[in-house]
Amino acid sequence: MRMIDKSFINKYQKEGFYYGIPVFSNSEIRSIRSEIETLEKKFKNGISKNKLEQYFRVNGHIVIPLLANLSKSPKILDYIELLLGSNILVWSVELFIKEPGSSKIVSWHQDITYWGMGETNNEVTAWIALSNVNIESGCMRFIPGSHNKKILIHEDTFDEDNLLSRGQEIKGINEKEAIYAPLKPGEMSLHHGKCLHASGMNNSNDRRIGLAIRYVTPDVRNKENGHDFAMLVRGFDDKGGWFNFAGPRSLFNKKDLCFYNYVLKYQSKVLMAGANKNDGMYKADK
Ligand SMILES: O=C(O)CCC(=O)C(=O)O
């Protein structure tokens, strides 16, 4: 493992988030962004029945080698290991894209509310900026210490401008307590699954692109389904609670696309439980 300034650990544990960790150089970020934008051009008409956005927003690591490989990057994993220990799995990889001037937002929420993992401390999101992500372009903001709270009540809004799967929202947050977490291209933030966070519109002239990778340990259990799917990226998993998979064979490989649909159906039972509609990214008959 590289030498890492470990002072972030205490702050992360106290506040539930940490931001501004440099992980990728400008040239690495330019190349990652260009690969993503090449995919957008190539698959502008979608992949079979789905829009490309489906695979960007949900479980991209199952079908897009670029996203799976990024989630295995030692530059990220060395930090995750300091928080979660040496056995690490990837549960989900997602791109959060806001076009310039778009009205897309993310409402106040706690990530693990609908994930079926209970109130675990053994889940961390690494969020990497693939563009300049500042207050103007709609960076995340967090409520320090909120990861120590229970899971709060979320209301489904299904608002079209909300990037979350159910438009879920916690009402009554005191915005004055929020800390903005701007990131330069290539920088990473880390947040705990119960830390309250949100993000605003992109009022800048550039796209705002963030890559969210959800890491878990072998001990985390899906309490609803009993099991869930994850990709082992460091160490080993001898706990039997995750169906481990190896990652994509190739870009949008047919077998991986079938597996993608299987996982989506399986997860949608938990992630959309209790919702009065399911016609978005977890639509079960995809
Ligand atoms: O990209 C955003 O603004 C929000 C992302 C988010 O909520 C998350 O990664 O948990």
Side-chain angles (χ1 to χ4, degrees), residues 96 98 106 109 111 125 127 140 191 197 199 208 212 214:
F96 284 90
K98 296 176 187 166
V106 169
H109 69 287
D111 288 339
T125 292
W127 198 102
M140 284 191 284
H191 67 265
H197 59 289
S199 71
R208 177 274 208 194
R214 324 283 184 192

Side-chain angles (χ1 to χ4, degrees), residues 235-251:
F236 63 93
D237 174 7
D238 62 351
K239 303 279 170 153
W242 294 99
F243 297 128
N244 283 234
F245 64 92
R249 294 160 174 87
S250 57
L251 182 62

Side-chain angles (χ1 to χ4, degrees), residues 176-187:
K176 287 195 190 127
E177 289 177 16
I179 303 287
Y180 284 85
L183 298 171
K184 297 196 196 82
E187 285 185 344

Side-chain angles (χ1 to χ4, degrees), residues 257-269:
L257 285 167
C258 278
F259 178 57
Y260 181 96
N261 287 343
Y262 183 82
V263 173
L264 193 80
K265 268 188 202 159
Y266 188 91
Q267 292 183 341
S268 77
K269 287 191 201 109

Side-chain angles (χ1 to χ4, degrees), residues 146-157:
S146 53
H147 62 307
N148 294 317
K149 289 183 198 288
K150 293 260 157 223
I151 294 178
L152 303 177
I153 291 173
H154 291 63
E155 287 174 29
D156 292 347
T157 67

Side-chain angles (χ1 to χ4, degrees), residues 3-225:
M3 285 298 288
I4 290 180
D5 175 1
K6 295 189 181 153
S7 57
F8 84 95
I9 300 174
N10 279 345
K11 199 159 161 61
Y12 172 87
Q13 280 166 351
K14 183 160 175 266
E15 304 202 321
F17 67 96
Y18 189 87
Y19 65 98
I21 301 169
V23 278
F24 293 115
S25 67
N26 282 340
S27 68
E28 284 170 322
I29 283 299
R30 269 197 300 276
S31 135
I32 296 165
R33 179 169 172 170
S34 143
E35 281 192 63
I36 286 169
E37 293 183 336
T38 302
L39 289 178
E40 289 176 320
K41 284 192 199 100
K42 188 165 175 198
F43 294 102
K44 64 176 187 303
N45 297 324
I47 299 99
S48 65
K49 282 191 297 178
N50 283 331
K51 290 187 179 152
L52 177 64
E53 200 191 347
Q54 170 69 35
Y55 302 104
F56 274 5
R57 273 297 285 116
V58 180
N59 289 333
H61 61 310
I62 296 181
V63 286
I64 304 175
L66 169 71
L67 300 185
N69 291 337
L70 287 169
S71 76
K72 294 177 193 167
S73 167
K75 292 181 183 178
I76 303 172
L77 290 176
D78 288 350
Y79 281 89
I80 301 301
E81 180 162 348
L82 291 169
L83 298 178
L84 293 185
S86 51
N87 300 320
I88 307 170
L89 301 111
V90 168
W91 177 68
S92 162
V93 179
E94 301 158 46
L95 282 164
F96 284 90
I97 301 178
K98 296 176 187 166
E99 300 300 338
S102 94
S103 47
K104 298 286 181 199
I105 55 105
V106 169
S107 50
W108 283 105
H109 69 287
Q110 291 163 301
D111 288 339
I112 57 176
T113 306
Y114 298 107
W115 293 355
M117 299 175 192
E119 304 217 345
T120 182
N121 291 317
N122 290 329
E123 184 278 332
V124 175
T125 292
W127 198 102
I128 298 105
L130 306 184
S131 64
N132 196 15
V133 180
N134 53 22
I135 296 182
E136 188 189 21
S137 63
C139 66
M140 284 191 284
R141 53 197 197 280
F142 296 94
I143 304 288
S146 53
H147 62 307
N148 294 317
K149 289 183 198 288
K150 293 260 157 223
I151 294 178
L152 303 177
I153 291 173
H154 291 63
E155 287 174 29
D156 292 347
T157 67
F158 291 104
D159 183 343
E160 283 194 0
D161 279 335
N162 195 325
L163 288 175
L164 299 179
S165 54
R166 313 160 63 125
Q168 63 266 33
E169 183 176 8
I170 302 172
K171 298 263 164 60
I173 301 295
N174 181 359
E175 287 278 352
K176 287 195 190 127
E177 289 177 16
I179 303 287
Y180 284 85
L183 298 171
K184 297 196 196 82
E187 285 185 344
M188 167 172 83
S189 61
L190 299 166
H191 67 265
H192 184 287
K194 278 196 294 167
C195 188
L196 284 157
H197 59 289
S199 71
M201 294 195 290
N202 178 5
N203 294 313
S204 77
N205 295 324
D206 189 16
R207 312 180 78 194
R208 177 274 208 194
I209 310 175
L211 172 69
I213 310 170
R214 324 283 184 192
Y215 293 99
V216 291
T217 69
D219 302 294
V220 176
R221 279 293 159 279
N222 187 306
K223 296 180 192 316
E224 313 293 329
N225 272 346

